[in-house]
Amino acid sequence: MSKWKDIGRPVVVLGAVCIIVTALLAVTNQFTAPIIEKNAKAKADASRKVVLADGADFEEVRLDPTLIAEKKVEEVYKAGNGAGCTVTTALNGYGGTVRIMFGVTADGRIAGVEVLEHNETKGLGERITTDDFKSQFIGKSGVLSVTKGSPGEQEIAALTGATVSSRTMTDSANVALEVAALVMKGEG
């Protein structure tokens, strides 16, 4: 009888607690998952409107899975009114994955940039989120490169001490421009 009190009863009680907690978490998830998904969609829709202000009636574009894996594209939405499309990329920066949404106009120019998520170094790489740095991309088209000096037509001035983050942002812009061109041609 002593072994039951010392070992058996605590095991049964702990097992019952685990089952109850698991059931409560499952029920909670069932109610909160749709709300979380709705909020994430609303945030993404708001970001699309920020990066492509002239866009309306955005529809998701299904891309070739090879293109998604190769280019590290998370999603593409095309504006139903023909204004262009938004492309969300997920490339590796200095501190990990950097998720960026670009708005690209129908004529192939970057209309807006929104850094959605990053883990870049505080005070250095995180400056990719500043309006001063992001504004360099507005109106650009073609293939962009990073420079440590004064930028030319197809160049982006690197952030001092954050060349990797600057390059990641520029590589993401190049991916967005390339994918947007395919989408606007009806390819991809």
Side-chain angles (χ1 to χ4, degrees):
M1 187 73 160
S2 177
K3 284 190 175 187
W4 167 250
K5 282 185 177 180
D6 293 341
I7 298 173
R9 188 182 300 166
V11 168
V12 170
V13 170
L14 185 58
V17 168
C18 288
I19 290 170
I20 291 168
V21 168
T22 301
L24 289 173
L25 285 172
V27 169
T28 302
N29 184 57
Q30 186 175 11
F31 287 109
T32 59
I35 295 167
I36 292 169
E37 186 176 326
K38 181 181 175 185
N39 288 342
K41 184 182 179 329
K43 184 178 178 184
D45 287 342
S47 292
R48 283 185 203 91
K49 197 66 179 150
V50 167
V51 298
L52 191 62
D54 293 339
D57 304 320
F58 290 98
E59 294 180 26
E60 187 171 11
V61 176
R62 298 287 177 199
L63 295 176
D64 176 357
T66 306
L67 182 68
I68 292 171
E70 185 180 295
K71 299 293 180 184
K72 298 191 177 177
V73 174
E74 284 193 344
E75 64 179 24
V76 177
Y77 278 78
K78 188 173 181 180
N81 66 351
C85 65
T86 64
V87 180
T88 303
T89 62
L91 276 69
N92 288 328
Y94 185 78
T97 301
V98 181
R99 292 183 60 242
I100 308 166
M101 182 183 290
F102 292 89
V104 181
T105 61
D107 67 348
R109 298 194 173 279
I110 295 175
V113 182
E114 192 71 27
V115 179
L116 303 174
E117 183 180 316
H118 74 88
N119 289 310
E120 300 304 274
T121 307
K122 285 221 176 278
L124 294 172
E126 75 175 351
R127 291 181 292 154
I128 62 173
T129 63
T130 64
D131 289 338
D132 282 346
F133 183 71
K134 293 188 304 184
S135 68
Q136 293 185 81
F137 293 89
I138 307 303
K140 300 279 188 183
S141 63
V143 178
L144 308 177
S145 61
V146 177
T147 184
K148 291 185 179 182
S150 296
E153 183 68 25
Q154 297 305 108
E155 294 177 319
I156 302 296
L159 293 166
T160 304
T163 307
V164 173
S165 301
S166 301
R167 189 167 288 117
T168 298
M169 189 88 158
T170 304
D171 290 346
S172 295
N174 286 329
V175 166
L177 287 166
E178 181 183 347
V179 169
L182 293 172
V183 168
M184 297 313 284
K185 290 179 186 174
E187 301 172 16

